[in-house]
mmCIF file of all heavy atoms in Angstrom:
data_model
loop_
_atom_site.group_PDB
_atom_site.id
_atom_site.type_symbol
_atom_site.label_atom_id
_atom_site.label_comp_id
_atom_site.label_asym_id
_atom_site.label_seq_id
_atom_site.Cartn_x
_atom_site.Cartn_y
_atom_site.Cartn_z
ATOM 1 N N SER A 1 0.829 -1.134 0.035
ATOM 2 C CA SER A 1 -0.006 -0.060 0.066
ATOM 3 C C SER A 1 0.853 1.229 0.000
ATOM 4 O O SER A 1 0.673 2.168 0.781
ATOM 5 C CB SER A 1 -0.909 -0.016 1.300
ATOM 6 O OG SER A 1 -0.105 -0.025 2.390
ATOM 7 N N VAL A 2 1.923 1.305 -0.776
ATOM 8 C CA VAL A 2 2.774 2.410 -0.880
ATOM 9 C C VAL A 2 2.736 2.931 -2.368
ATOM 10 O O VAL A 2 2.370 2.232 -3.313
ATOM 11 C CB VAL A 2 4.281 2.099 -0.543
ATOM 12 C CG1 VAL A 2 4.367 1.592 0.876
ATOM 13 C CG2 VAL A 2 4.851 1.040 -1.533
ATOM 14 N N GLU A 3 3.065 4.189 -2.523
ATOM 15 C CA GLU A 3 3.075 4.731 -3.927
ATOM 16 C C GLU A 3 4.220 4.220 -4.645
ATOM 17 O O GLU A 3 5.401 4.198 -4.226
ATOM 18 C CB GLU A 3 3.104 6.271 -3.758
ATOM 19 C CG GLU A 3 1.735 6.752 -3.300
ATOM 20 C CD GLU A 3 1.561 8.294 -3.520
ATOM 21 O OE1 GLU A 3 2.257 8.758 -4.428
ATOM 22 O OE2 GLU A 3 0.927 8.859 -2.716
ATOM 23 N N ILE A 4 4.060 3.876 -5.915
ATOM 24 C CA ILE A 4 5.041 3.443 -6.781
ATOM 25 C C ILE A 4 5.413 4.701 -7.660
ATOM 26 O O ILE A 4 4.736 5.234 -8.320
ATOM 27 C CB ILE A 4 4.518 2.362 -7.733
ATOM 28 C CG1 ILE A 4 3.905 1.274 -6.946
ATOM 29 C CG2 ILE A 4 5.533 1.811 -8.703
ATOM 30 C CD1 ILE A 4 4.743 0.472 -6.086
ATOM 31 N N PRO A 5 6.783 4.844 -7.739
ATOM 32 C CA PRO A 5 7.259 5.962 -8.640
ATOM 33 C C PRO A 5 6.909 5.633 -10.107
ATOM 34 O O PRO A 5 6.938 4.457 -10.476
ATOM 35 C CB PRO A 5 8.771 6.091 -8.322
ATOM 36 C CG PRO A 5 9.083 4.779 -7.655
ATOM 37 C CD PRO A 5 7.867 4.206 -7.054
ATOM 38 N N ASP A 6 6.573 6.655 -10.871
ATOM 39 C CA ASP A 6 6.357 6.424 -12.233
ATOM 40 C C ASP A 6 7.639 5.965 -12.921
ATOM 41 O O ASP A 6 8.669 6.593 -12.863
ATOM 42 C CB ASP A 6 5.935 7.757 -12.909
ATOM 43 C CG ASP A 6 5.545 7.626 -14.339
ATOM 44 O OD1 ASP A 6 5.876 6.609 -14.989
ATOM 45 O OD2 ASP A 6 4.959 8.582 -14.853
ATOM 46 N N PRO A 7 7.584 4.861 -13.577
ATOM 47 C CA PRO A 7 8.802 4.327 -14.146
ATOM 48 C C PRO A 7 9.416 5.127 -15.325
ATOM 49 O O PRO A 7 10.566 4.884 -15.670
ATOM 50 C CB PRO A 7 8.356 2.835 -14.712
ATOM 51 C CG PRO A 7 6.903 2.948 -14.787
ATOM 52 C CD PRO A 7 6.393 3.934 -13.842
ATOM 53 N N ASP A 8 8.542 6.010 -15.914
ATOM 54 C CA ASP A 8 9.133 6.944 -16.953
ATOM 55 C C ASP A 8 9.706 8.135 -16.380
ATOM 56 O O ASP A 8 10.077 9.089 -17.145
ATOM 57 C CB ASP A 8 7.924 7.139 -17.857
ATOM 58 C CG ASP A 8 7.456 5.911 -18.657
ATOM 59 O OD1 ASP A 8 8.368 5.050 -18.849
ATOM 60 O OD2 ASP A 8 6.409 5.817 -18.919
ATOM 61 N N MET A 9 9.721 8.392 -15.119
ATOM 62 C CA MET A 9 10.293 9.568 -14.495
ATOM 63 C C MET A 9 11.684 9.551 -14.188
ATOM 64 O O MET A 9 12.222 10.288 -13.380
ATOM 65 C CB MET A 9 9.402 9.967 -13.284
ATOM 66 C CG MET A 9 7.980 10.128 -13.634
ATOM 67 S SD MET A 9 7.698 11.507 -14.689
ATOM 68 C CE MET A 9 8.159 12.931 -13.582
ATOM 69 N N GLY A 10 12.510 8.726 -14.707
ATOM 70 C CA GLY A 10 13.866 8.668 -14.468
ATOM 71 C C GLY A 10 14.189 7.755 -13.289
ATOM 72 O O GLY A 10 13.290 6.978 -12.741
ATOM 73 N N GLY A 11 15.334 7.785 -12.657
ATOM 74 C CA GLY A 11 15.560 7.100 -11.475
ATOM 75 C C GLY A 11 16.226 5.723 -11.700
ATOM 76 O O GLY A 11 17.419 5.720 -12.250
ATOM 77 N N TYR A 12 15.509 4.691 -11.489
ATOM 78 C CA TYR A 12 16.041 3.398 -11.612
ATOM 79 C C TYR A 12 15.065 2.438 -12.256
ATOM 80 O O TYR A 12 13.856 2.635 -12.165
ATOM 81 C CB TYR A 12 16.578 2.842 -10.236
ATOM 82 C CG TYR A 12 15.497 3.016 -9.166
ATOM 83 C CD1 TYR A 12 14.555 1.967 -8.957
ATOM 84 C CD2 TYR A 12 15.382 4.133 -8.396
ATOM 85 C CE1 TYR A 12 13.547 2.117 -8.001
ATOM 86 C CE2 TYR A 12 14.451 4.273 -7.473
ATOM 87 C CZ TYR A 12 13.536 3.225 -7.179
ATOM 88 O OH TYR A 12 12.553 3.340 -6.221
ATOM 89 N N LEU A 13 15.667 1.331 -12.813
ATOM 90 C CA LEU A 13 14.857 0.181 -13.337
ATOM 91 C C LEU A 13 15.399 -1.119 -12.825
ATOM 92 O O LEU A 13 16.505 -1.196 -12.466
ATOM 93 C CB LEU A 13 14.979 0.148 -14.852
ATOM 94 C CG LEU A 13 14.620 1.399 -15.747
ATOM 95 C CD1 LEU A 13 14.948 1.258 -17.151
ATOM 96 C CD2 LEU A 13 13.066 1.752 -15.538
ATOM 97 N N PHE A 14 14.404 -2.040 -12.752
ATOM 98 C CA PHE A 14 14.860 -3.414 -12.270
ATOM 99 C C PHE A 14 14.913 -4.427 -13.463
ATOM 100 O O PHE A 14 14.032 -4.483 -14.273
ATOM 101 C CB PHE A 14 13.891 -3.989 -11.241
ATOM 102 C CG PHE A 14 13.981 -3.484 -9.960
ATOM 103 C CD1 PHE A 14 13.617 -2.159 -9.611
ATOM 104 C CD2 PHE A 14 14.462 -4.351 -8.808
ATOM 105 C CE1 PHE A 14 13.833 -1.650 -8.334
ATOM 106 C CE2 PHE A 14 14.595 -3.772 -7.580
ATOM 107 C CZ PHE A 14 14.288 -2.470 -7.291
ATOM 108 N N TYR A 15 16.081 -5.143 -13.477
ATOM 109 C CA TYR A 15 16.153 -6.319 -14.314
ATOM 110 C C TYR A 15 15.204 -7.363 -13.648
ATOM 111 O O TYR A 15 15.077 -7.313 -12.503
ATOM 112 C CB TYR A 15 17.572 -6.820 -14.494
ATOM 113 C CG TYR A 15 18.473 -5.951 -15.460
ATOM 114 C CD1 TYR A 15 19.093 -4.842 -14.952
ATOM 115 C CD2 TYR A 15 18.643 -6.338 -16.788
ATOM 116 C CE1 TYR A 15 19.856 -4.056 -15.798
ATOM 117 C CE2 TYR A 15 19.441 -5.599 -17.592
ATOM 118 C CZ TYR A 15 20.039 -4.483 -17.160
ATOM 119 O OH TYR A 15 20.763 -3.692 -18.085
ATOM 120 N N SER A 16 14.825 -8.346 -14.523
ATOM 121 C CA SER A 16 13.877 -9.275 -13.973
ATOM 122 C C SER A 16 14.384 -10.111 -12.768
ATOM 123 O O SER A 16 13.644 -10.387 -11.825
ATOM 124 C CB SER A 16 13.384 -10.282 -15.082
ATOM 125 O OG SER A 16 14.437 -10.977 -15.579
ATOM 126 N N VAL A 17 15.699 -10.441 -12.860
ATOM 127 C CA VAL A 17 16.269 -11.238 -11.627
ATOM 128 C C VAL A 17 16.211 -10.359 -10.389
ATOM 129 O O VAL A 17 15.758 -10.873 -9.362
ATOM 130 C CB VAL A 17 17.676 -11.744 -11.982
ATOM 131 C CG1 VAL A 17 18.673 -10.662 -12.107
ATOM 132 C CG2 VAL A 17 18.035 -12.740 -10.950
ATOM 133 N N ALA A 18 16.485 -9.167 -10.419
ATOM 134 C CA ALA A 18 16.425 -8.226 -9.284
ATOM 135 C C ALA A 18 14.976 -8.043 -8.790
ATOM 136 O O ALA A 18 14.696 -7.939 -7.595
ATOM 137 C CB ALA A 18 17.098 -6.952 -9.559
ATOM 138 N N ASP A 19 14.077 -7.976 -9.792
ATOM 139 C CA ASP A 19 12.665 -7.825 -9.415
ATOM 140 C C ASP A 19 12.163 -9.092 -8.623
ATOM 141 O O ASP A 19 11.440 -8.900 -7.658
ATOM 142 C CB ASP A 19 11.923 -7.682 -10.648
ATOM 143 C CG ASP A 19 10.459 -7.246 -10.361
ATOM 144 O OD1 ASP A 19 10.199 -6.371 -9.511
ATOM 145 O OD2 ASP A 19 9.523 -7.990 -11.004
ATOM 146 N N LYS A 20 12.444 -10.196 -9.068
ATOM 147 C CA LYS A 20 12.266 -11.371 -8.359
ATOM 148 C C LYS A 20 12.770 -11.463 -6.967
ATOM 149 O O LYS A 20 12.220 -11.899 -6.036
ATOM 150 C CB LYS A 20 12.584 -12.713 -9.150
ATOM 151 C CG LYS A 20 11.668 -12.901 -10.434
ATOM 152 C CD LYS A 20 12.214 -14.056 -11.291
ATOM 153 C CE LYS A 20 11.421 -14.070 -12.580
ATOM 154 N NZ LYS A 20 12.091 -14.985 -13.575
ATOM 155 N N GLU A 21 13.996 -11.054 -6.911
ATOM 156 C CA GLU A 21 14.724 -11.003 -5.599
ATOM 157 C C GLU A 21 14.026 -10.126 -4.668
ATOM 158 O O GLU A 21 13.907 -10.377 -3.431
ATOM 159 C CB GLU A 21 16.162 -10.716 -5.714
ATOM 160 C CG GLU A 21 16.972 -11.824 -6.402
ATOM 161 C CD GLU A 21 18.358 -11.420 -6.991
ATOM 162 O OE1 GLU A 21 18.651 -10.229 -7.078
ATOM 163 O OE2 GLU A 21 19.064 -12.338 -7.324
ATOM 164 N N GLN A 22 13.692 -9.032 -5.192
ATOM 165 C CA GLN A 22 12.875 -7.974 -4.293
ATOM 166 C C GLN A 22 11.603 -8.546 -3.843
ATOM 167 O O GLN A 22 11.205 -8.399 -2.691
ATOM 168 C CB GLN A 22 12.501 -6.746 -5.176
ATOM 169 C CG GLN A 22 11.718 -5.723 -4.365
ATOM 170 C CD GLN A 22 11.357 -4.494 -5.226
ATOM 171 O OE1 GLN A 22 11.546 -3.428 -4.749
ATOM 172 N NE2 GLN A 22 10.947 -4.676 -6.434
ATOM 173 N N ASP A 23 10.841 -9.368 -4.681
ATOM 174 C CA ASP A 23 9.592 -9.983 -4.219
ATOM 175 C C ASP A 23 9.942 -10.994 -3.133
ATOM 176 O O ASP A 23 9.217 -11.168 -2.169
ATOM 177 C CB ASP A 23 8.943 -10.680 -5.463
ATOM 178 C CG ASP A 23 8.324 -9.779 -6.491
ATOM 179 O OD1 ASP A 23 8.200 -8.615 -6.141
ATOM 180 O OD2 ASP A 23 8.032 -10.226 -7.593
ATOM 181 N N ALA A 24 11.011 -11.751 -3.305
ATOM 182 C CA ALA A 24 11.475 -12.683 -2.314
ATOM 183 C C ALA A 24 11.801 -11.999 -0.935
ATOM 184 O O ALA A 24 11.431 -12.508 0.099
ATOM 185 C CB ALA A 24 12.644 -13.583 -2.786
ATOM 186 N N ILE A 25 12.530 -10.820 -1.042
ATOM 187 C CA ILE A 25 12.787 -10.119 0.244
ATOM 188 C C ILE A 25 11.562 -9.694 0.973
ATOM 189 O O ILE A 25 11.353 -9.854 2.067
ATOM 190 C CB ILE A 25 13.680 -8.874 -0.143
ATOM 191 C CG1 ILE A 25 14.983 -9.241 -0.660
ATOM 192 C CG2 ILE A 25 13.752 -7.926 1.095
ATOM 193 C CD1 ILE A 25 15.838 -8.139 -1.298
ATOM 194 N N PHE A 26 10.526 -9.224 0.060
ATOM 195 C CA PHE A 26 9.269 -8.821 0.697
ATOM 196 C C PHE A 26 8.554 -10.020 1.400
ATOM 197 O O PHE A 26 8.165 -9.945 2.526
ATOM 198 C CB PHE A 26 8.377 -8.193 -0.385
ATOM 199 C CG PHE A 26 7.037 -7.808 0.334
ATOM 200 C CD1 PHE A 26 6.859 -6.585 0.908
ATOM 201 C CD2 PHE A 26 5.865 -8.630 0.147
ATOM 202 C CE1 PHE A 26 5.612 -6.251 1.419
ATOM 203 C CE2 PHE A 26 4.669 -8.323 0.700
ATOM 204 C CZ PHE A 26 4.584 -7.175 1.318
ATOM 205 N N SER A 27 8.553 -11.117 0.683
ATOM 206 C CA SER A 27 7.762 -12.242 1.171
ATOM 207 C C SER A 27 8.508 -12.825 2.376
ATOM 208 O O SER A 27 7.803 -13.172 3.466
ATOM 209 C CB SER A 27 7.781 -13.412 0.109
ATOM 210 O OG SER A 27 7.008 -12.968 -0.928
ATOM 211 N N ASP A 28 9.889 -12.936 2.421
ATOM 212 C CA ASP A 28 10.544 -13.508 3.492
ATOM 213 C C ASP A 28 10.380 -12.584 4.675
ATOM 214 O O ASP A 28 10.227 -13.118 5.857
ATOM 215 C CB ASP A 28 12.066 -13.673 3.165
ATOM 216 C CG ASP A 28 12.273 -14.810 2.092
ATOM 217 O OD1 ASP A 28 11.399 -15.527 1.910
ATOM 218 O OD2 ASP A 28 13.335 -14.816 1.564
ATOM 219 N N THR A 29 10.504 -11.214 4.495
ATOM 220 C CA THR A 29 10.391 -10.370 5.586
ATOM 221 C C THR A 29 8.937 -10.437 6.201
ATOM 222 O O THR A 29 8.765 -10.321 7.351
ATOM 223 C CB THR A 29 10.770 -8.901 5.096
ATOM 224 O OG1 THR A 29 11.997 -8.959 4.614
ATOM 225 C CG2 THR A 29 10.726 -7.907 6.284
ATOM 226 N N LYS A 30 8.005 -10.537 5.342
ATOM 227 C CA LYS A 30 6.592 -10.560 5.811
ATOM 228 C C LYS A 30 6.306 -11.749 6.636
ATOM 229 O O LYS A 30 5.640 -11.745 7.682
ATOM 230 C CB LYS A 30 5.670 -10.454 4.558
ATOM 231 C CG LYS A 30 4.235 -10.576 4.960
ATOM 232 C CD LYS A 30 3.207 -10.513 3.707
ATOM 233 C CE LYS A 30 1.806 -10.608 4.041
ATOM 234 N NZ LYS A 30 0.977 -10.669 2.905
ATOM 235 N N LEU A 31 6.906 -12.981 6.191
ATOM 236 C CA LEU A 31 6.703 -14.135 7.024
ATOM 237 C C LEU A 31 7.332 -14.047 8.392
ATOM 238 O O LEU A 31 6.790 -14.527 9.345
ATOM 239 C CB LEU A 31 7.329 -15.389 6.157
ATOM 240 C CG LEU A 31 6.466 -15.913 5.038
ATOM 241 C CD1 LEU A 31 7.211 -16.911 4.279
ATOM 242 C CD2 LEU A 31 5.137 -16.434 5.518
#
């Protein structure tokens, strides 16, 4: 429930492997 930065506004992008790792970090931390 947090705001997501607009991906077209500069900043940073995730490669798919890092995106999956981020999901795992969230899931592990939540558990």
Side-chain angles (χ1 to χ4, degrees):
S1 59
V2 297
E3 288 194 27
I4 308 296
D6 182 346
D8 295 326
M9 295 299 291
Y12 51 90
L13 305 173
F14 279 71
Y15 283 84
S16 62
V17 66
D19 187 51
K20 289 175 187 170
E21 289 164 348
Q22 177 183 228
D23 290 345
I25 291 167
F26 178 84
S27 296
D28 294 346
T29 304
K30 183 179 176 184
L31 283 173

